[in-house]
Amino acid sequence: MSMFLVGLSIASSIALSPPLPFSPSPSLPFSLSSSQLDPIARGQQYYEAGRFAEAASVWETAARGYDRRHDRLNEALSRIYLSLAYQRLGQWDAAGDALDRVRSLLSPDPSTDVERQIRALFLNTLGQWQFERGDPESALATWQAAETTYIAIADETGRFGSQINQAQALQTLGLYRRAKVLLERVTQQLEETPDSPLKARGLRSLGTVLHMMGRIGEAQRILERSLAVATAVGDEEGVRGALLSLSDTARDLGDTETALDAYDWVARRSEGLDRLEVQLDRLSLWIETDEFDTARSLLPEITALLETLPVSRRSVYARVNLAQSWQRLSPNDRETVARLLARAATEAAELGDLRARSYSLGELGHLYERLGQLEDARTLTERSLALAQAIHTPDLLARWQWQLGRVLARQNDYDNALAAYREAVAALKVVRGDLASFETDLRFSFRERVEPVYREFVSLLLQKAELHRSSDRDRFDALVGEARKAIESLQLAELDNFFREACLDVRPVSIDAIDPHAAVVYPIVLPDRLFVILSVAGHPLQLFSTEVSQTQVEEKVAKMLESLHLAYSDLDRLEISQTLYDWLLKPEEDVLKREEIETLVFVLDSTLQTLPLAALHDGNSYLIERYAIALSPSLYLFAPQSPLPDRPQVLSGGLTEARRGFPALPGVATELDRIARYLPARVLLDDKFTEQQLETQVRSRDFNIVHLATHGQFSSNADDTFLLTWDGRLNVRDFDRWLQTRRFGRSIDLLVLSACQTALGDERAVLGLAGMAVRSGARSTLATLWSVRDLSTTQLMDEFYRQLTQQPRPNKAEALRRAQLHLLRESPYNHPFFWAPFVAIGNWQ
């Protein structure tokens, strides 16, 4: 499978081996001839036997005969099927010529059902030809016209086939969400019909899209259903396609043996281009598993197949696929890689496939970039960029603008490099909805393919800003402001990627409009330096920097987390904590004191997201002793302020008993009971704490606070981020269905998640915490970075709710601060392990 390329939907057509467009079998859907020896029917027999050249010969002869007899409709039908045969043979010009002749024979406004059916068949075949020639935009429009025609003649099979084809074009264009919605509608309707190859194909297409969107378990279930249907109806092509797609899901789940078994089965039953693509999949899998000798044994057949097959879009991408694998297998054999990519670009030019040509040239430019041949890299990247601009594809624009920015930066052309990065970020915003779907498999990392675009851009901006700090204050302010916006955009992109959809409505919010006594701290971890942007109401942004590497920051954060174990030396823990304080906050101390800041709001970056900020120490006191602390994924996600009423209504629920492998939480009953002493509360405990009961209660009453004391897990994977209920797991994706009650005219003011924890060993797990906070729709969320003791949590929550009843009432961050100080100063739970993991996310007011 080819390495995933950001936004390059065409590359994914290699990687996931999606089905080719649906084309009806060349059989007569109506009778134009009563003879069983009709040449169209004879050609069909050859076609279905895979004897495409003989089928083409029969249909060519038939078409000439019908032309002599002026039989317009039969000639049109013969030439449609002739085009299908030529397409299977890779004779694209001849296939196109046949379709041009059909266009001249058919009326653009047919008057009978027979003519409409032939026109619909023509449109479906034309769309397939356009798609294979590298023009998915035109193919999509053609298949939409075919659907309209099929609807006019009440041909459900043709309509479904055209819709499945449209979904394939949408995938190729990178519009995965639209493809998913369309395919879900089609497959739901197909489920009501008898099993058929078309039904298997629809299911397979849906499974492929779900895989592209990272929903691997769901994709696997759909694909297994597709395989069952194809097997039941004896559709060998459908069986082969389903197995290929299932092998892709298996390898993403780490089941190499199953994936290889499926590849072997398909390879034995495939030939030509189909076999080539399977062998390329096997090659990349052997390389991934370090079986290099086995991988090399496949190369002779793969290279031989490439040289004997006719040129097509698929063969172009096969060459690029092979080039990518070759680089990993033989890193020093750069000449072979360059030849493969150059040949791919030449063949794409012969096809007139601008997208494939842009892809091939860009990859060749990337090769020269790695070799340090920067001028050649720049020339090739600019050519690939021009081609992407010609076909208006923001996904390719983002990729090549990023590559151009890297090359220009290495050439010390920083102004033009910044311009290229700006264009790359702008293009990523255009495709934001589908960028969320780009993490298509477990081998692709968002951090390797998307995050660097933003980070490298920010690095350049801040380096330029420092040059202008003393000489041009306006320029300095503009560059720092642009850097902050880029970091905010990265946070949004991370959350989109977490949910695999662009589900977040965003708008910029100024700190001035939120809280004049708060400051927003943006730490930015770069490879060789730690920057901190400080935003204080009524003042320009300020920039601080410390010469400390990303590796040093990561190591120190890891030591800080380790030091919070109860057995760790207090002296060593405070030393580590003070170092982190000095890096993050000491440069800002004077500003914070002068402006009388009361609340620090952190938009955390990278590994700092796991850091319990309350436990940072300045040598005299903990940070929580001087400031209330809040976290925000981004001020762009800030929910409007809505102060709690004097007597807020609470929905509280939780588990005391052990469930589904999780231990009992006996302190939960006391915790919920104490909440009810301070505020009116509806309590759901143990067997009453079900998803259905939660949804019913939220719909039925105006709760201001939802407090859930149960096991849960925050992970960088949305599928592994959940809360435990009596009857199952409530996944973060489902939060908006029952808790985000804006559809009923209300919103939760505060969501409290007690006894949850971030996934151990997952340094990005706080994404799950932020994701749960955002998905809930609550204005504020209180949660924990790790699971702490029952009794200490009960005491902290008791004090937190007591503070919320005080007059004047403190804001939520301040109420949490006072509760943490209560444990620190007035209880046996004064170690940071007990109070530091509690964090307030979102609107701290």
Side-chain angles (χ1 to χ4, degrees), residues 322-528:
L322 177 58
Q324 292 168 339
S325 290
W326 205 293
Q327 289 179 76
R328 297 161 65 193
L329 192 60
S330 303
N332 296 322
D333 189 2
R334 297 157 181 169
E335 291 185 6
T336 299
V337 174
R339 282 198 302 271
L340 284 166
L341 292 171
R343 176 77 175 273
T346 300
E347 291 182 352
E350 292 172 3
L351 291 170
D353 189 335
L354 298 185
R355 181 183 283 264
R357 192 177 177 200
S358 174
Y359 174 32
S360 306
L361 287 173
E363 278 291 287
L364 187 56
H366 185 40
L367 173 64
Y368 284 123
E369 178 194 1
R370 290 197 304 275
L371 295 175
Q373 297 175 223
L374 297 181
E375 198 56 42
D376 290 333
R378 178 174 179 170
T379 299
L380 287 165
T381 304
E382 287 173 340
R383 287 173 61 189
S384 64
L385 184 58
L387 290 165
Q389 289 168 332
I391 52 179
H392 309 292
T393 52
D395 53 350
L396 288 179
L397 289 174
R399 177 172 176 77
W400 304 138
Q401 291 284 14
W402 175 31
Q403 184 164 297
L404 181 60
R406 296 195 307 267
V407 171
L408 291 169
R410 289 179 65 182
Q411 292 182 316
N412 299 321
D413 187 352
Y414 295 116
D415 287 335
N416 283 322
L418 275 176
Y421 274 102
R422 284 192 188 97
E423 292 297 329
V425 169
L428 289 177
K429 288 180 180 178
V430 170
V431 295
R432 177 176 168 235
D434 291 290
L435 177 61
S437 305
F438 286 169
E439 188 164 339
T440 60
D441 58 52
L442 301 184
R443 293 178 305 283
F444 165 72
S445 170
F446 177 89
R447 300 177 70 179
E448 294 173 0
R449 294 293 177 180
V450 178
E451 186 174 343
V453 181
Y454 290 93
R455 290 201 179 283
E456 292 164 15
F457 180 39
V458 169
S459 179
L460 279 176
L461 286 168
L462 295 181
Q463 289 177 48
K464 288 285 288 184
E466 292 216 303
L467 293 175
H468 292 284
R469 185 190 290 271
S470 58
S471 61
D472 188 342
R473 184 67 198 194
D474 289 342
R475 180 66 172 149
F476 172 83
D477 290 345
L479 290 166
V480 174
E482 192 174 5
R484 183 186 74 160
K485 288 180 181 178
I487 284 295
E488 293 267 12
S489 296
L490 173 58
Q491 305 288 354
L492 291 175
E494 283 189 306
L495 285 169
D496 283 347
N497 183 258
F498 174 77
F499 287 114
R500 301 293 199 273
E501 59 180 307
C503 58
L504 309 175
D505 296 325
V506 300
R507 61 182 180 85
V509 178
S510 167
I511 186 66
D512 306 60
I514 303 169
D515 184 350
H517 297 292
V520 185
V521 182
Y522 298 85
I524 302 169
V525 182
L526 296 174
D528 60 348

Side-chain angles (χ1 to χ4, degrees), residues 165-366:
N165 286 344
Q166 291 170 48
Q168 178 66 16
L170 290 168
Q171 290 178 61
T172 300
L173 292 168
L175 304 174
Y176 306 119
R177 290 184 302 146
R178 284 179 57 187
K180 172 180 169 288
V181 170
L182 177 58
L183 285 168
E184 285 178 335
R185 185 169 68 245
V186 171
T187 53
Q188 185 177 7
Q189 294 171 328
L190 282 172
E191 284 291 2
E192 300 173 2
T193 67
D195 287 349
S196 66
L198 181 64
K199 185 174 182 176
R201 168 67 198 285
L203 288 163
R204 182 190 170 201
S205 295
L206 176 59
T208 299
V209 171
L210 290 170
H211 189 185
M212 298 289 288
M213 298 180 73
R215 296 163 64 174
I216 299 176
E218 190 176 351
Q220 191 172 41
R221 290 191 294 273
I222 295 292
L223 291 169
E224 286 169 350
R225 171 78 174 125
S226 172
L227 177 61
V229 171
T231 302
V233 298
D235 176 16
E236 185 167 334
E237 184 175 345
V239 170
R240 186 164 56 244
L243 279 173
L244 269 180
S245 296
L246 280 166
S247 65
D248 292 329
T249 62
R251 68 189 291 180
D252 284 349
L253 294 170
D255 188 354
T256 301
E257 185 177 353
T258 297
L260 285 171
D261 286 345
Y263 286 146
D264 290 344
W265 190 95
V266 174
R268 288 195 301 271
R269 291 163 175 79
S270 302
E271 57 186 29
L273 190 52
D274 291 337
R275 182 173 176 84
L276 171 62
E277 290 176 341
V278 177
Q279 296 295 66
L280 284 168
D281 283 339
R282 295 174 73 196
L283 174 68
S284 66
L285 186 50
W286 285 124
I287 293 172
E288 285 174 14
T289 54
D290 296 332
E291 297 288 345
F292 299 117
D293 290 339
T294 306
R296 290 188 182 92
S297 70
L298 296 175
L299 291 177
E301 181 187 357
I302 289 173
T303 53
L305 280 169
L306 265 177
E307 295 308 314
T308 58
L309 292 172
V311 175
S312 68
R313 159 179 272 217
R314 291 167 68 194
S315 72
V316 170
Y317 295 135
R319 286 191 186 279
V320 180
N321 191 330
L322 177 58
Q324 292 168 339
S325 290
W326 205 293
Q327 289 179 76
R328 297 161 65 193
L329 192 60
S330 303
N332 296 322
D333 189 2
R334 297 157 181 169
E335 291 185 6
T336 299
V337 174
R339 282 198 302 271
L340 284 166
L341 292 171
R343 176 77 175 273
T346 300
E347 291 182 352
E350 292 172 3
L351 291 170
D353 189 335
L354 298 185
R355 181 183 283 264
R357 192 177 177 200
S358 174
Y359 174 32
S360 306
L361 287 173
E363 278 291 287
L364 187 56
H366 185 40

Side-chain angles (χ1 to χ4, degrees), residues 131-156:
F131 183 88
E132 290 293 341
R133 294 287 288 177
D135 189 0
E137 295 90 347
S138 295
L140 177 61
T142 300
W143 283 326
Q144 288 169 337
E147 179 190 0
T148 300
T149 307
Y150 279 123
I151 290 172
I153 56 177
D155 185 335
E156 290 294 283

